């Protein structure tokens, strides 16, 4: 690999980064140390080389230099929120960061800060993102080769107790109570359970609730963020049968996420609470809460605390309520039909501007077919029969949404208005 550097003198930064661990594994520790000291200065702060920065962070995590790796990660903390980029570069950088963050969490530093979030919260979000990206790659490739390669990288054990890399750096004291670390041998089992539950929740799979139940029943010490996610899943399961209880439970979940400084999850749970309020107290109160959380999401997105996808997820509460209110009426007034259609057009425009294809498709379908009141449930839960009929969450949303009489009524009304 180092011979490649001589043949490609214009690309030493990438060659040196990729050579770090192979050099170490073959016993060439001095060469590995030199490659790090020389190579990092070539890639530092260069966003087009973020994958190489990820390799340097990973190298620090596996050589007893966790403090140096954390220092490097904090220098590039803004990259953690940037997701509109080449996917392979994104996975390369984020995977290196996750190797480090997992190592730090195992050492009891889950409470220290990475930017505005705790290490534990940052790790959970990045693990979920990697899971989503791997699923996309595997679906495209028709195999699990990519996800298996990433999983192997993330599961690496340290290769050296301590490899001096220059000026010593020490880890900061945890900002809060350290997260209990499960005994070795059980940690990966819990990681697998949580990762699967998050994956199923993201695709709105009907078995997501069961997955979170397995997490809760694992008898392993759960990080606070996972406890909150379990409670969130329980609260969502009440939305259909007992929206009043769901509302109270969701407010408690919001408080938990807020205490953990996880802005994205706070703003994900609040629209669900607004929907519960809509079902129990009516359109006025529900829409008022939805407008409030949408305004909060706008500020958070402008501050870089939400991804485009997370931002649009928060915004969907308003359109869902508008469609629900429309579908409940036998003969809705033309002014309401036009207002709802205009709202869908506005949300579609935002999705197009932010290039979030899932939301673009959802609103295109809604405007084409007049998605009605039952879409409120369909977009938060996917009944098992519909999911099995399609295997794709967005398509099953549409099938479920069009299955009721209310749906057909709203369909005809919107088509006439459009």
């Amino acid at each position: 690999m180092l011979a490649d550097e001589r043949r490609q003198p214009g690309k030493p930064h990438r060659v040196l980064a990729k050579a770090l661990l192979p050099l170490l594994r073959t016993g060439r520790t001095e060469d590995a140390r030199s490659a790090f000291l020389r190579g990092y200065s070539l890639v530092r702060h260069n966003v087009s080389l973020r994958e190489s920065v990820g390799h340097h962070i990973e190298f620090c995590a596996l050589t007893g230099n966790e403090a140096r790796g954390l220092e490097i990660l904090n220098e590039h903390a803004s990259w953690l929120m940037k997701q509109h980029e080449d996917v392979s570069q994104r996975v390369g950088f984020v995977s290196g960061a996750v190797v480090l963050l997992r190592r730090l969490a195992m050492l009891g530093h889950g409470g220290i800060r990475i930017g505005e979030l705790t290490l534990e919260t940052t790790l959970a979000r990045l693990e979920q993102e990697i899971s989503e990206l791997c699923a996309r790659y595997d679906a495209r490739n028709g195999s699990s080769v990519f996800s298996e390669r990433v999983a192997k990288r993330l599961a690496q054990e340290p290769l050296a107790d301590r490899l001096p890399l220059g000026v010593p750096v020490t880890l900061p004291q945890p900002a809060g109570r350290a997260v209990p670390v499960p005994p070795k041998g059980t940690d990966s089992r819990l990681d697998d359970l949580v990762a699967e539950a998050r994956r199923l929740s993201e695709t709105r799979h009907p078995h997501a609730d069961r997955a979170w139940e397995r997490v809760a029943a694992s008898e392993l010490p759960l990080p606070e963020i996972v406890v909150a996610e379990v409670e969130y899943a329980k609260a969502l399961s009440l939305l259909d049968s007992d929206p009043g209880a769901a509302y109270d439970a969701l407010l408690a979940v919001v408080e938990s996420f807020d205490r953990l400084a996880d802005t994205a999850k706070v703003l994900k749970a609040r629209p669900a609470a607004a929907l519960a309020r809509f079902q129990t107290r009516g359109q006025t109160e529900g829409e008022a809460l939805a407008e409030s959380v949408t305004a909060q999401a706008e500020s958070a997105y402008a501050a870089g605390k939400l991804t485009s996808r997370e931002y649009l997820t928060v915004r969907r509460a308003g359109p869902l309520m508008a469609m629900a209110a429309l579908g409940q009426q036998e003969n809705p007034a033309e002014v309401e039909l036009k207002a709802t259609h205009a709202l869908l057009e506005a949300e579609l425009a935002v999705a197009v501007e932010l290039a979030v294809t899932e939301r673009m498709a959802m609103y295109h379908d809604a405007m084409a077919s007049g998605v009605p009141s039952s879409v409120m449930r369909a977009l938060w839960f996917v009944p098992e029969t519909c999911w099995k009929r399609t295997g794709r969450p967005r398509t099953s949303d549409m099938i479920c949404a069009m299955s009721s009489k209310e749906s057909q009524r709203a369909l005809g009304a919107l088509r006439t208005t459009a």
Side-chain angles (χ1 to χ4, degrees):
M1 194 172 285
L2 292 179
D4 288 342
E5 181 191 347
R6 290 189 290 271
R7 290 194 296 269
Q8 303 178 60
K11 301 180 180 179
H13 31 64
R14 291 189 176 92
V15 173
L16 291 169
K18 290 181 179 179
L20 291 169
L21 295 183
L23 287 171
L24 197 58
R25 290 192 177 102
T26 54
R28 298 170 62 183
T29 55
E30 281 306 311
D31 287 336
R33 179 177 180 276
S34 297
F36 172 83
L37 295 175
R38 180 187 172 198
Y40 177 59
S41 63
L42 297 175
V43 302
R44 183 185 183 193
H45 298 159
N46 188 334
V47 71
S48 67
L49 297 173
R50 52 193 171 277
E51 182 177 12
S52 296
V53 173
H55 285 301
H56 285 277
I57 292 172
E58 175 185 17
F59 179 75
C60 290
L62 301 177
T63 58
N65 290 283
E66 294 87 359
R68 179 62 176 131
L70 181 61
E71 186 177 61
I72 293 173
L73 182 59
N74 278 321
E75 287 182 6
H76 303 86
S78 62
W79 295 1
L80 295 174
M81 296 299 296
K82 294 180 180 178
Q83 296 183 323
H84 304 297
E85 55 194 75
D86 177 81
V87 175
S88 62
Q89 284 269 348
R90 179 69 182 172
V91 173
F93 172 69
V94 172
S95 296
V98 167
V99 172
L100 171 69
L101 296 180
R102 284 186 175 182
R103 178 66 182 154
L104 289 169
M106 286 295 293
L107 294 174
H109 292 280
I112 62 178
R113 313 295 291 188
I114 306 292
E116 296 186 0
L117 303 178
T118 64
L119 184 151
E120 179 191 8
T121 300
T122 301
L123 175 58
R125 291 181 65 176
L126 294 181
E127 287 179 328
Q128 181 174 357
E129 181 185 350
I130 287 178
S131 177
E132 294 166 0
L133 292 174
C134 287
R136 284 167 52 189
Y137 258 93
D138 287 351
R140 186 195 69 180
N141 297 337
S143 73
S144 60
V145 172
F146 184 83
S147 60
E148 289 172 0
R149 184 166 68 244
V150 172
K152 183 177 180 181
R153 180 180 180 186
L154 299 183
Q156 294 175 100
E157 294 289 336
L159 299 174
D161 291 334
R162 174 69 176 167
L163 177 65
L165 296 178
V167 179
V169 185
T170 57
L171 285 168
Q173 290 296 315
R177 180 177 59 84
V179 177
V181 179
K184 193 169 183 177
T186 62
D187 202 49
S188 71
R189 178 186 159 212
L190 178 60
D191 287 345
D192 291 343
L193 289 172
V194 173
E196 178 67 2
R198 287 170 176 163
R199 184 184 68 81
L200 294 177
S201 295
E202 184 62 27
T203 59
R204 302 191 296 284
H205 193 283
H207 294 165
D209 287 349
R210 297 182 206 173
W212 285 114
E213 288 170 4
R214 286 194 292 272
V215 172
S218 66
E219 298 184 352
L220 298 171
L222 300 181
E224 289 183 70
I225 187 65
V226 175
V227 172
E229 288 177 285
V230 169
E231 293 304 313
Y232 179 55
K234 290 179 182 177
L236 286 182
S237 70
L238 296 172
L239 258 180
D240 194 44
S241 60
D242 192 348
Y247 177 75
D248 293 337
L250 285 164
L251 289 186
V253 168
V254 167
E255 289 183 6
S256 296
F257 286 142
D258 194 36
R259 186 175 62 255
L260 294 167
D262 194 325
T263 301
K265 286 189 171 63
V266 167
L267 293 175
K268 183 179 180 180
R270 280 180 176 159
L275 288 170
R277 204 61 165 174
F278 172 87
Q279 291 177 273
T280 56
R281 295 292 184 88
Q283 186 174 359
T284 302
E285 287 197 29
E287 288 184 345
L289 287 175
E291 289 176 5
S292 173
V293 72
T294 297
Q296 294 169 1
E298 288 174 354
S299 298
Y301 180 66
K305 297 179 182 179
L306 293 180
T307 66
S308 296
R309 191 172 185 279
E310 289 167 340
Y311 173 51
L312 288 176
T313 296
V314 176
R315 290 181 62 100
R316 68 182 171 175
L320 296 185
M321 290 181 196
M323 293 304 298
L326 189 66
Q328 290 168 1
Q329 302 178 51
E330 207 50 62
N331 294 298
E334 184 176 354
V335 64
E336 292 184 52
L337 294 171
K338 289 183 176 179
T340 301
H341 197 272
L343 178 59
L344 293 176
E345 284 186 325
E347 291 303 311
L348 172 59
V350 176
V352 170
E353 180 183 356
L354 300 181
V356 179
T357 55
E358 177 189 343
R359 297 298 172 202
M360 290 164 59
M362 187 187 85
Y363 288 119
H364 269 301
D365 286 350
M367 293 175 66
S369 59
V371 178
S373 62
S374 57
V375 78
M376 182 171 71
R377 172 173 169 78
L379 287 176
W380 289 90
F381 311 98
V382 179
E384 187 166 358
T385 53
C386 294
W387 214 102
K388 285 182 177 179
R389 285 167 62 187
T390 65
R392 299 190 303 276
R394 185 178 63 80
T395 304
S396 61
D397 286 345
M398 297 303 112
I399 290 176
C400 294
M402 299 311 301
S403 62
S404 70
K405 291 181 179 179
E406 288 181 350
S407 301
Q408 298 300 323
R409 186 162 61 243
L411 165 70
L414 270 182
R415 278 178 176 165
T416 302
T417 304

